[in-house]
């Protein structure tokens, strides 16, 4: 989680501050369906950001400040990994922006509780971090999403329609795609790869068939995935 936060800060520094391509970038943190667990994640995130902000305000040369900057420096090659060589900034160019971003951010709790944030002022801050349970699971628009941290997983086969609705990181914008990052459990990574392969197969089948009746006999789905919940399907399909 700390690596994800630091990489998001570096993404904001590159895209918002250095390139000036976007006014802000957002991070989505969706760890669990439990509201209590999501509040805990929000506290962790706010605690880390507060500590880093205090460290960055210390005089240069202070040991704990040097340690923090060195951690950002260690992650920096990952932050610029997908940029063309002629577009890669140096860490020395990006480092001065880190302090500014830590003073120009907001963490939101997105759920149905009274203490949750009801309104997001997108244009007021350069960095947004949204932490939420089911309200953030599907149907919620995260503007200028760049970083997704979603350690959710299922023990058995996943429902293809559910994981598809959850993967709003497929809607990234090409303008800052080089700074987009997704953090998932290995099992979910395999599920999403299977889903993409299935979708490409479906497109191929649709392109090669003359009628929808021909398509019905050819659609395949990975054994790792179920199409949807069985209680919403007709008995003949099940």
């Amino acid at each position: 989680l700390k690596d994800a936060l630091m990489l998001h800060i570096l993404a904001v520094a590159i895209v918002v501050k250095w390139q000036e391509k976007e006014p802000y970038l957002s991070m989505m943190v969706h760890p669990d369906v439990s509201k209590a667990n999501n509040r805990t994640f929000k506290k962790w995130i706010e605690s880390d950001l507060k500590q880093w902000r205090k460290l960055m305000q210390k005089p240069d040369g202070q040991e704990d400040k040097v340690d923090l900057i060195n951690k950002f420096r260690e992650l920096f090659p990952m932050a610029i990994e997908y940029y063309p060589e002629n577009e890669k900034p140096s860490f020395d160019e990006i480092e001065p922006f880190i302090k500014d971003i830590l003073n120009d951010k907001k963490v939101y709790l997105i759920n149905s509780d009274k203490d949750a944030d009801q309104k997001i002022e997108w244009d007021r801050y350069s960095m947004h971090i949204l932490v939420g349970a089911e309200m953030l699971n599907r149907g919620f628009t995260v503007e200028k999403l760049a970083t997704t941290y979603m350690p959710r997983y299922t023990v058995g086969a996943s429902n293809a329609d559910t994981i598809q609705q959850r993967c709003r990181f497929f809607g990234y914008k090409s303008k800052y795609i080089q700074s987009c990052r997704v953090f998932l459990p290995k099992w979910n990574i395999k599920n999403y790869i299977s889903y993409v392969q299935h979708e490409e197969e479906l497109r191929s089948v649709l392109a090669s068939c003359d009628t929808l009746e021909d398509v019905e006999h050819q659609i395949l789905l990975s054994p790792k995935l179920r199409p949807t919940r069985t209680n919403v399907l007709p008995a003949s399909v099940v």
Side-chain angles (χ1 to χ4, degrees):
L1 178 60
K2 289 187 178 184
D3 286 355
L5 284 171
M6 286 185 163
L7 282 168
H8 185 60
I9 291 169
L10 290 171
V12 175
I14 295 169
V15 176
V16 177
K17 301 294 186 178
W18 188 67
Q19 293 180 329
E20 298 183 342
K21 282 187 174 181
E22 298 288 355
Y24 60 86
L25 290 180
S26 301
M27 176 179 182
M28 182 183 79
V29 180
H30 180 49
D32 203 330
V33 296
S34 163
K35 294 179 183 178
N37 287 346
N38 283 276
R39 281 194 290 269
T40 298
F41 268 79
K42 181 175 184 281
K43 288 179 182 177
W44 288 343
I45 291 168
E46 288 180 323
S47 176
D48 283 338
L49 295 176
K50 182 179 180 180
Q51 181 185 18
W52 297 345
R53 187 179 71 248
K54 288 182 177 178
L55 290 177
M56 292 301 294
Q57 291 171 347
K58 287 189 174 185
D60 293 342
Q62 291 278 344
E63 185 176 353
D64 45 3
K65 179 179 180 179
V66 171
D67 289 343
L68 177 63
I69 292 174
N70 284 340
K71 180 59 179 176
F72 277 105
R73 191 187 301 273
E74 289 173 14
L75 289 171
F76 189 68
M78 192 184 301
I80 60 171
E81 180 178 358
Y82 300 106
Y83 280 88
E85 286 299 324
N86 63 338
E87 295 181 16
K88 288 182 178 180
S90 67
F91 182 74
D92 290 339
E93 291 175 295
I94 296 302
E95 190 244 313
F97 297 123
I98 295 175
K99 180 180 177 181
D100 293 340
I101 294 166
L102 289 169
N103 287 297
D104 185 21
K105 55 84 182 72
K106 186 163 184 181
V107 184
Y108 304 83
L109 182 64
I110 308 297
N111 62 34
S112 56
D113 288 347
K114 292 181 180 179
D115 62 341
D117 295 282
Q118 304 299 324
K119 183 179 180 181
I120 300 176
E121 299 173 292
W122 296 110
D123 293 322
R124 186 171 177 177
Y125 303 95
S126 64
M127 181 172 77
H128 300 276
I129 301 174
L130 283 65
V131 186
E134 283 303 286
M135 283 187 67
L136 204 56
N137 190 14
R138 62 188 76 175
F140 188 98
T141 300
V142 182
E143 299 288 348
K144 303 189 187 302
L145 177 63
T147 307
T148 297
Y149 181 86
M150 191 170 64
R152 291 190 63 174
Y153 68 96
T154 54
V155 177
S158 300
N159 294 324
D161 63 338
T162 298
I163 72 164
Q164 195 275 343
Q165 291 178 54
R166 200 174 284 159
C167 67
R168 70 276 312 287
F169 46 82
F170 282 171
Y172 283 152
K173 305 297 183 183
S174 59
K175 188 185 287 188
Y176 55 88
I177 188 67
Q178 294 93 343
S179 282
C180 292
R181 297 294 181 272
V182 184
F183 294 80
L184 301 168
K186 290 181 179 179
W187 179 253
N188 260 358
I189 292 172
K190 292 178 181 178
N191 280 341
Y192 282 114
I193 291 172
S194 296
Y195 187 90
V196 172
Q197 290 171 340
H198 158 250
E199 190 173 84
E200 292 302 317
E201 176 69 21
L202 176 60
R203 293 177 188 275
S204 176
V205 169
L206 286 169
S208 64
C209 293
D210 294 324
T211 67
L212 285 177
E213 185 177 1
D214 294 336
V215 175
E216 288 178 1
H217 298 294
Q218 296 190 52
I219 292 179
L220 304 173
L221 188 64
S222 165
K224 297 187 182 74
L225 300 171
R226 296 185 299 259
T228 187
R229 306 186 311 281
T230 53
N231 65 324
V232 300
L233 294 173
S236 59
V237 174
V238 174

